[in-house]
Amino acid sequence: MKALWGRVSARPEFITLGLIVLLVLGVSLLEPRFFSPQNLVATIRTTTRLGIFALGVLLVLAAGGIDVSFTAIGVFALYTTTTLTLMFFPTAPFALMLIVSMTLGALMGLLNGFMVWRFAVPSLIVTIGTQYLFTGFLKTFVGTKHIMDIPAAMDSSGTASLLQFSTADGVRVTLPLLFLVLVVTAVLTHLLLTRTLMGRAVFAVGGSSAIAGRLGFSVRTVQLFVFGTAGLIAGLGGMVHGSLNRLANPSDLVGTELDVIAAVVLGGARVSGGSGTVIGALLGVVLVVLINNSLILIGVPSTWQKVVIGGVILVASGVFSKRSGA
Amino acid sequence: MTPSPTPSPTTPRADALLRLEGISKTFGGVKALNNVSLELQAGRVYHLLGENGSGKSTLIKIIAGAQPPDAGQIIVRGQSYNQLGALEAIRAGIETVYQDLSLFPNLSVAENVALTTQLDLNGGQLARMLDWGKVKRIAIKALERVGLPTHAGFLAAPVETLPIAVRQLVAIARGIAARASLVIMDEPTAALTQREVENLLLIISSLREEGVSVLFVSHKLEEVFRIGGSVIVLRDGVKVLDGALSDYDETKISFVMTGKQLDQTTYRTGQPQSEVLLEVSNLARGTAFADVSFALHRGEVLGITGLLDSGRNELALALSGVHPATSGEVRLEGSAVQIRNPRDAISLGLGYVPEDRLTEGLFLTKPIRENTVVTVIDTLLKGIQLNFAAMTAKAVGFVKDLQIATPSVDLPVSSLSGGNQQRVMVARWLATKPKVLMLHGPTAGVDVGSKDALYKLVQRLAEGGMGVIIVSDDLPELLMNTDRILVMKKGRIAKEFTTADLEKDLLTQTLLSEDSSAQQ
Ligand SMILES: Nc1ncnc2c1ncn2[C@@H]1O[C@H](COP(=O)(O)OP(=O)(O)OP(=O)(O)O)[C@@H](O)[C@H]1O
Ligand SMILES: [Mg+2]
């Protein structure tokens, strides 16, 4: 028992996995439709959209910061890229659009990183500011209308399938190709965090930036890198989000950042920084998505979903905080 | 030899590893360092001595590139700098074991030991793959040298889960992991027990043989003289002595450091009374210790010592209610008492000054006043309001009594030097007027002058009828202050000595004997 607890407390994502198993078992007893292919694919679609953002959030949390501007960056990059493509190069390939969107995202992220480093202001304050700044700029200078008529490459990439089949009752189910974007980004982020000196420097700065500086780590480089990369990932996430929904809406996403941050924290990343894993963050996202899906399935009103997620966070943070006191 | 970009007026001696010229540093009116110049040669051991707050750590941080000086030059192998960057210092072969350890609490032991060697290897560039195999190999080698385990579980353990003495060894392992030309150790022995200290002394002499210089800080002059080498003494930020240790003895060095004649060989003044104050019978806790029985008389000073795994820490924590005993009996003034938590201990009159002041007690960012009176805050109320004047008066009283060096009790504890922080911790428990006062490593990191003051205070308290227990690794401290000494081994009391005619060597032997197999 003690050994088991030791193992679990060293790998908090086990707790997240345990919660997911419990939830799946519980809900499938109440509602057999839970195990339907449609529900599975719906879960994967939502996980793809939130999961990409979660990877950026994880990076920032690991380095001891917090970023609430990533949704604004995602929407800004999505909407601006879509607008630019329609204006100048409507037949642009999807890859080019991704590059533009990610570059825009990275630039905005670098601005966050620069301000956090230069003015030594808590990143929460900086990113609250830039969230307003980016959203305001987007709506004032780029546009406010929904774009339903998205560029052709975006449309086809959004609907392209990785796997397609019909269920027994004749419903066609499609697993989107863009799911692969999440897989690739997750693998890269995992390698970055665990196999590179930069990755370890991120955790070192998250543990204590004063100590990191004193031991020769460049805290400025780490902060610029972390926020820049988080911005780049947000640009990617925004584009994937828009393609999957086949819509570029300048009022989208902003307001949902806490869902993603909560998911990453549920995956074992401490808000105080210096911890977290890619696997944990993704499990956290799956948990949040499953809670939302299953509550709808078993007929719980959507307002209650927030209550449940809040409750799960409180319980999980209780469990997680116990491990550090060991 | 690289030509120096800003040529200095005096030509550097070819063999100087490091020179400081006119280094000064001021913190808000306090001159921590005042025009300090010195020169370190390769392959030598230097002892940097001085009272608490004399500027030792500040000087070290400047050499290590953790803090810039306000004025002066740092010359490393002929190359002169106005200030060193942390990375520059490391690349110049300067490795530092900081007084506050500077370990990453969230990272593993292996990473804490070896990550900076990788950073150094890549010239500070972060866009590099990490060779985990190499990190582990380097870590294992360094951990072996300091006598820590090297199995996978320990390598992967986050440092925040380790006890303070083990953390100190991890920090030392980091200091010697790289091929350095100068290893700086700021009070590395303050948290270590005899066995680790012996090992560290071996490490230092082998570094010296390899041609590596060591800058060593300790308040235990006994260690300093055993290591030997050169000595540099700071007093109020000014260098007052720079020479060969062999020209001095402990009394002379203490005099240079403090300006006071400290030649006392014993402090014990009173006699224990006949009444038994505290009686412990067959106390046990899990695998930590068992069968512990002893009595403490009114007015007695009892010493308890033992190695890291001897159970003496756990015994102290059990008596203070932090980790209560699981069986056995404790009687105070004749009646059986229960110590289930620290609050029980406090209300019974068992005061406990913990070993690790940073994690077990002080509120670093809060004023000295609040830190001092926090244990008796309920007696300092005026109606429902805190009686601020009374708090200040009480705190100022203790600052005087214990000679805590501070201009004002309004300042945060973090502004004090290490030894002065320790005194705030002692003051806090004296404020509760305990019947029994347990001091755990009371002078770890405390300078000779303040030790003197603290010892005199302990004797005064004992004469007033208090029972005092000192749990310590500092054998001279126990010999000078106690009536009896208990030596613990493997969770039991292995030996009891009457202090009066005990030889230090016998105590050391008892402590270290039959112990080679017990290494982790
Ligand atoms: N960051 C700081 N802010 C304000 N004052 C400081 C700071 N660092 C050091 N000081 C002050 O500078 C003086 C020298 O401190 P330092 O830590 O160098 O002493 P020390 O010789 O290492 O003492 P100890 O033996 O207690 O470790 C002290 O008066 C201390 O209070
Ligand atoms: Mg110091």
Side-chain angles (χ1 to χ4, degrees):
Chain A
M1 186 62 214
K2 210 175 162 186
L4 182 73
W5 175 246
R7 291 263 291 285
V8 168
S9 53
R11 306 293 307 263
E13 49 277 31
F14 282 149
I15 300 172
T16 320
L17 188 63
L19 285 173
I20 291 175
V21 172
L22 277 182
L23 184 77
V24 168
L25 288 179
V27 177
S28 57
L29 284 181
L30 288 173
E31 177 52 77
R33 270 185 307 164
F34 183 75
F35 270 127
S36 67
Q38 293 98 307
N39 192 34
L40 188 68
V41 166
T43 304
I44 294 179
R45 280 181 86 94
T46 325
T47 302
T48 303
R49 295 211 315 261
L50 292 184
I52 298 175
F53 289 115
L55 295 168
V57 169
L58 171 68
L59 263 178
V60 177
L61 278 181
I66 194 156
D67 180 0
V68 293
S69 71
F70 67 92
T71 48
I73 293 179
V75 167
F76 189 104
L78 162 68
Y79 194 79
T80 309
T81 309
T82 311
T83 308
L84 288 176
T85 310
L86 289 174
M87 262 159 77
F88 300 110
F89 191 8
T91 58
F94 191 56
L96 180 64
M97 296 174 67
L98 282 182
I99 290 171
V100 172
S101 177
M102 287 181 347
T103 309
L104 285 171
L107 289 175
M108 287 183 272
L110 281 174
L111 179 67
N112 280 335
F114 176 77
M115 301 226 286
V116 169
W117 168 72
R118 183 69 184 76
F119 305 114
V121 186
S123 50
L124 177 63
I125 308 294
V126 167
T127 55
I128 287 175
T130 52
Q131 186 195 84
Y132 280 103
L133 183 75
F134 298 149
T135 321
F137 191 90
L138 178 67
K139 291 187 179 164
T140 313
F141 296 105
V142 189
T144 50
K145 284 205 227 17
H146 291 202
I147 305 177
M148 312 273 254
D149 215 357
I150 55 175
M154 206 170 141
D155 193 22
S156 59
S157 305
T159 48
S161 66
L162 185 63
L163 196 73
Q164 199 169 44
F165 56 89
S166 299
T167 57
D169 39 353
V171 187
R172 261 197 1 169
V173 185
T174 321
L175 179 62
L177 182 67
L178 290 179
F179 174 61
L180 286 183
V181 174
L182 173 65
V183 174
V184 171
T185 317
V187 170
L188 288 178
T189 311
H190 173 76
L191 292 178
L192 168 80
L193 283 179
T194 57
R195 300 288 169 83
T196 67
L197 202 48
M198 177 59 95
R200 302 323 291 169
V202 166
F203 286 103
V205 169
S208 164
S209 62
I211 295 177
R214 173 184 282 202
L215 295 181
F217 290 93
S218 165
V219 176
R220 179 190 57 177
T221 309
V222 170
Q223 256 156 6
L224 288 178
F225 173 82
V226 159
F227 281 95
T229 312
L232 180 139
I233 293 176
L236 177 68
M239 206 64 208
V240 169
H241 174 82
S243 306
L244 284 174
N245 284 359
R246 294 154 79 187
L247 172 72
N249 168 7
S251 307
D252 211 353
L253 285 173
V254 176
T256 64
E257 49 282 331
L258 280 186
D259 289 352
V260 182
I261 294 172
V264 177
V265 172
L266 278 177
R270 288 186 213 168
V271 182
S272 53
S275 71
T277 58
V278 166
I279 273 291
L282 292 182
L283 286 173
V285 171
V286 170
L287 182 61
V288 168
V289 171
L290 279 179
I291 291 175
N292 281 329
N293 278 5
S294 51
L295 292 181
I296 297 172
L297 267 183
I298 58 178
V300 176
S302 65
T303 43
W304 273 95
Q305 293 168 18
K306 300 267 181 216
V307 177
V308 173
I309 293 184
V312 173
I313 291 179
L314 289 180
V315 171
S317 59
V319 175
F320 289 153
S321 72
K322 227 177 166 164
R323 82 194 147 110
S324 51
Chain B
M1 183 120 299
T2 34
S4 99
T6 41
S8 44
T10 52
T11 36
R13 274 174 55 185
D15 53 348
L17 180 67
L18 177 93
R19 285 199 311 136
L20 301 184
E21 268 178 20
I23 296 287
S24 294
K25 177 87 187 175
T26 307
F27 291 109
V30 179
K31 248 198 170 344
L33 289 174
N34 191 353
N35 197 22
V36 173
S37 303
L38 54 84
E39 189 168 292
L40 306 185
Q41 311 295 332
R44 296 251 281 265
V45 178
Y46 294 86
H47 298 275
L48 181 59
L49 304 180
E51 296 190 281
N52 294 133
S54 57
K56 302 180 298 293
S57 297
T58 307
L59 187 71
I60 284 172
K61 286 182 200 147
I62 287 171
I63 299 175
Q67 239 169 34
D70 295 341
Q73 294 276 306
I74 305 157
I75 300 126
V76 187
R77 293 210 179 85
Q79 177 115 3
S80 155
Y81 302 86
N82 288 324
Q83 70 177 75
L84 274 178
L87 191 63
E88 276 171 320
I90 293 171
R91 302 208 74 199
I94 301 171
E95 288 290 331
T96 311
V97 182
Y98 288 96
Q99 187 171 12
D100 67 4
L101 305 186
S102 291
L103 295 171
F104 296 108
N106 56 326
L107 296 188
S108 69
V109 168
E111 283 184 277
N112 267 292
V113 173
L115 205 55
T116 39
T117 62
Q118 297 306 295
L119 189 68
D120 179 17
L121 213 70
N122 291 304
Q125 294 298 312
L126 292 171
R128 295 284 188 281
M129 294 310 283
L130 188 62
D131 183 347
W132 275 106
K134 202 162 181 185
V135 166
K136 282 195 184 133
R137 277 197 304 281
I138 294 174
I140 286 174
K141 220 171 103 197
L143 291 171
E144 258 168 8
R145 234 174 138 181
V146 299
L148 282 175
T150 53
H151 56 83
F154 185 72
L155 288 178
V159 160
E160 64 198 345
T161 62
L162 305 175
I164 177 78
V166 179
R167 283 187 218 183
Q168 176 70 65
L169 292 173
V170 171
I172 295 172
R174 179 173 69 201
I176 60 172
R179 250 217 76 81
S181 49
L182 171 64
V183 178
I184 304 174
M185 302 189 188
D186 196 352
E187 294 191 39
T189 59
L192 297 184
T193 67
Q194 201 71 27
R195 181 172 61 205
E196 294 84 36
V197 172
E198 295 298 323
N199 191 30
L200 182 63
L201 300 195
L202 290 179
I203 293 174
I204 290 173
S205 48
S206 72
L207 285 174
R208 172 159 48 185
E209 273 156 33
E210 292 160 26
V212 179
S213 293
V214 177
L215 183 63
F216 185 82
V217 179
S218 172
H219 290 293
K220 300 180 192 166
L221 291 182
E222 202 229 339
E223 283 165 11
V224 168
F225 277 92
R226 274 187 64 194
I227 299 170
S230 308
V231 58
I232 297 161
V233 178
L234 293 179
R235 196 159 138 195
D236 297 327
V238 180
K239 188 178 87 170
V240 290
L241 179 92
D242 191 341
L245 204 47
S246 52
D247 296 344
Y248 300 89
D249 61 20
E250 289 197 26
T251 315
K252 274 192 200 143
I253 291 282
S254 307
F255 183 74
V256 176
M257 270 167 26
T258 62
K260 280 183 284 216
Q261 201 66 39
L262 303 169
D263 49 6
Q264 227 148 330
T265 49
T266 182
Y267 285 86
R268 188 69 188 117
T269 49
Q271 283 284 326
Q273 304 173 17
S274 56
E275 186 195 340
V276 172
L277 181 60
L278 177 80
E279 192 174 2
V280 173
S281 326
N282 299 318
L283 209 64
R285 178 183 161 88
T287 53
F289 62 88
D291 248 355
V292 171
S293 306
F294 65 86
L296 175 74
H297 297 81
R298 214 177 264 290
E300 186 177 28
V301 184
L302 177 69
I304 300 180
T305 189
L307 300 177
L308 200 52
D309 49 7
S310 63
R312 45 138 229 206
N313 289 359
E314 291 78 2
L315 176 63
L317 291 174
L319 289 175
S320 67
V322 177
H323 297 308
T326 45
S327 68
E329 195 189 38
V330 179
R331 300 179 82 84
L332 187 68
E333 296 176 316
S335 41
V337 294
Q338 296 289 327
I339 310 170
R340 288 155 305 201
N341 51 48
R343 201 169 336 156
D344 282 354
I346 295 174
S347 59
L348 287 168
L350 299 171
Y352 173 65
V353 180
E355 175 185 34
D356 178 3
R357 59 182 174 259
L358 295 184
T359 62
E360 287 178 60
L362 290 175
F363 307 107
L364 286 175
T365 55
K366 292 275 176 307
I368 295 163
R369 176 189 322 101
E370 275 77 355
N371 267 288
T372 310
V373 301
V374 62
T375 45
V376 288
I377 204 85
D378 49 340
T379 66
L380 294 168
L381 294 175
K382 200 162 64 185
I384 56 161
Q385 265 195 326
L386 281 173
N387 184 344
F388 207 69
M391 283 167 66
T392 306
K394 203 162 193 95
V396 167
F398 279 112
V399 163
K400 267 214 197 82
D401 254 12
L402 302 189
Q403 303 170 10
I404 298 171
T406 179
S408 157
V409 295
D410 283 327
L411 294 176
V413 164
S414 58
S415 73
L416 296 176
S417 73
N420 282 302
Q421 294 182 359
Q422 183 72 351
R423 287 184 233 177
V424 172
M425 198 74 209
V426 174
R428 173 190 292 180
W429 288 103
L430 289 181
T432 66
K433 303 207 175 70
K435 294 175 186 145
V436 175
L437 182 65
M438 255 183 298
L439 301 162
H440 196 169
T443 58
V446 173
D447 69 48
V448 281
S450 338
K451 272 184 193 166
D452 181 73
L454 192 82
Y455 295 158
K456 284 177 178 152
L457 179 76
V458 163
Q459 297 307 327
R460 257 198 349 256
L461 294 170
E463 275 170 39
M466 198 182 282
V468 181
I469 299 177
I470 304 179
V471 182
S472 176
D473 306 305
D474 190 337
L475 301 184
E477 166 169 303
L478 293 179
L479 290 167
M480 289 190 292
N481 281 289
T482 62
D483 297 304
R484 284 180 299 142
I485 297 174
L486 308 177
V487 178
M488 287 191 70
K489 265 189 195 181
K490 297 180 183 145
R492 279 155 212 274
I493 296 180
K495 191 99 186 160
E496 177 182 332
F497 291 108
T498 305
T499 312
D501 37 33
L502 177 62
E503 291 289 328
K504 171 158 174 292
D505 290 349
L506 178 61
L507 188 55
T508 311
Q509 269 169 31
T510 312
L511 207 52
L512 296 175
S513 66
E514 299 162 62
D515 198 66
S516 42
S517 60
Q519 275 272 32
Q520 259 50 220

